[in-house]
Amino acid sequence: MKSSFLFGLSFFVLMVSVASAQNKQTSVISTTEVVEKTSFKKFSDRLRIGYFGVLTTPTFRDMGKGQWRNAAISPEWGQAPSGEKKNQDTWPTNLWHQISFNFNFGARMNFVVNPRFMTPLASPTDMKAPEDRSFIELEDFLVGFQGVVYSSTDKKFNLWIRPGMRMPVSRASRNSANRGLGSTTHQVELGYLPTYDFNKTWQLGIFGQFRNWVFDDRYNYTRMRIYVAPFVQYTIDDTSRLQVYYEVMQENDRRWKSLNDKQPVFKDYWQNVFVGYSKDITPKFNIFPYVGAFVNDVPFSDQSFWAGAWISYQIK
């Protein structure tokens, strides 16, 4: 009887050990299967989604009169409707939007796709063809790469670049004949941003852009824009900063000797100084209200000044 009991006990212990080993093996297999099933999560972990918006108001004079149908624009731009005064765009007060899909695939620069659109905040009565009077107006999407390509040893100097291409999805790009030069194939551009941190309080930087329109697959400088915006940033605390920008924009606007017998000339279209206050409302949400003044609008008046705001939010 005693031997039978010992045999039964030994058999029971053996079966428990086998079952335990099988459970461990099943657990390992199940864990492996879970990892394999969450491969998409690895893709999701590398993807960042962000929002950036720009609010543009009319000039101070127009706002004082309660007129919101013309957003402010440089006096050299030449877009004011017939009968309107300088610094009045054909677009009304508006909010420009960008949704940025930023994918890190392990290289120095990330792949980005930026859909863009504009929402008018007042009646767009002055907008003319080929502009769109829809509540949501599509802008040309940007596809490209971006990232910091160089940093100094002490990390004080950094160079960020974004080579990209704008796809002609807006009505203006799709429908405009560009004064007889042909339809817009796409736009190629290079954005750059070198910055230098003197200390934890002061930073100096220059945001710039070379942007070229390609008409009917012709790669020349028929329409090319050069934009430069040096800035100074003063950090108040961990969430607050003061920034001063000086914008300069020159453009060769549809002039090419072999196409319309016009020599390329880069004209000064935009000179603007603006001062703003950047505030991190949360770690993901930032707002930057500012006041701008067109430097190429002399003498200064309330028609030279305008306001705006940058809004950014990290969705994912």
Side-chain angles (χ1 to χ4, degrees), residues 151-254:
S151 295
S152 61
T153 305
D154 57 6
K155 304 299 182 182
K156 289 187 175 183
F157 176 79
N158 296 279
L159 175 60
W160 174 95
I161 64 171
R162 187 187 62 197
M165 179 180 297
R166 299 195 184 203
M167 312 308 294
V169 299
S170 66
R171 178 172 296 185
S173 291
R174 289 184 285 109
N175 295 349
S176 176
N178 296 295
R179 302 175 192 169
L181 297 176
S183 59
T184 303
T185 305
H186 52 255
Q187 303 166 41
V188 292
E189 70 173 55
L190 173 64
Y192 60 91
L193 176 61
T195 59
Y196 184 81
D197 297 324
F198 293 95
N199 47 50
K200 294 183 178 180
T201 303
W202 292 97
Q203 182 189 74
L204 178 66
I206 302 175
F207 178 75
Q209 180 189 95
F210 297 98
R211 180 178 172 188
N212 193 52
W213 280 253
V214 179
F215 302 132
D216 286 346
D217 295 317
R218 292 188 301 267
Y219 286 85
N220 53 36
Y221 303 123
T222 306
R223 184 181 182 189
M224 183 179 183
R225 179 178 298 172
I226 301 174
Y227 173 88
V228 179
F231 67 90
V232 176
Q233 176 177 283
Y234 174 75
T235 300
I236 302 172
D237 53 40
D238 292 340
T239 62
S240 306
R241 294 163 293 277
L242 288 175
Q243 295 177 338
V244 180
Y245 285 79
Y246 180 77
E247 296 181 309
V248 178
M249 185 169 68
Q250 293 186 330
E251 184 172 315
N252 174 40
D253 191 3
R254 301 175 180 89

Side-chain angles (χ1 to χ4, degrees), residues 279-300:
K279 178 66 176 179
D280 296 331
I281 307 301
T282 70
K284 292 186 176 183
F285 178 51
N286 175 272
I287 186 169
F288 176 69
Y290 60 87
V291 174
F294 292 117
V295 180
N296 50 340
D297 190 14
V298 180
F300 285 115

Side-chain angles (χ1 to χ4, degrees), residues 98-140:
Q98 171 181 280
I99 308 295
S100 181
F101 297 89
N102 189 323
F103 181 72
N104 179 3
F105 58 93
R108 187 177 291 270
M109 292 194 296
N110 297 343
F111 177 67
V112 292
V113 178
N114 295 343
R116 295 164 168 174
F117 57 97
M118 186 272 288
T119 303
L121 301 180
S123 177
T125 55
D126 296 317
M127 294 173 68
K128 305 293 190 297
E131 292 177 333
D132 192 346
R133 293 192 180 189
S134 303
F135 176 70
I136 295 179
E137 178 178 346
L138 285 178
E139 293 283 319
D140 293 337

Side-chain angles (χ1 to χ4, degrees), residues 26-44:
T26 303
S27 177
V28 171
I29 295 174
S30 300
T31 303
T32 303
E33 289 176 350
V34 169
V35 171
E36 290 177 352
K37 289 180 180 179
T38 59
S39 296
F40 179 77
K41 188 176 184 303
K42 294 181 180 180
F43 170 83
S44 178

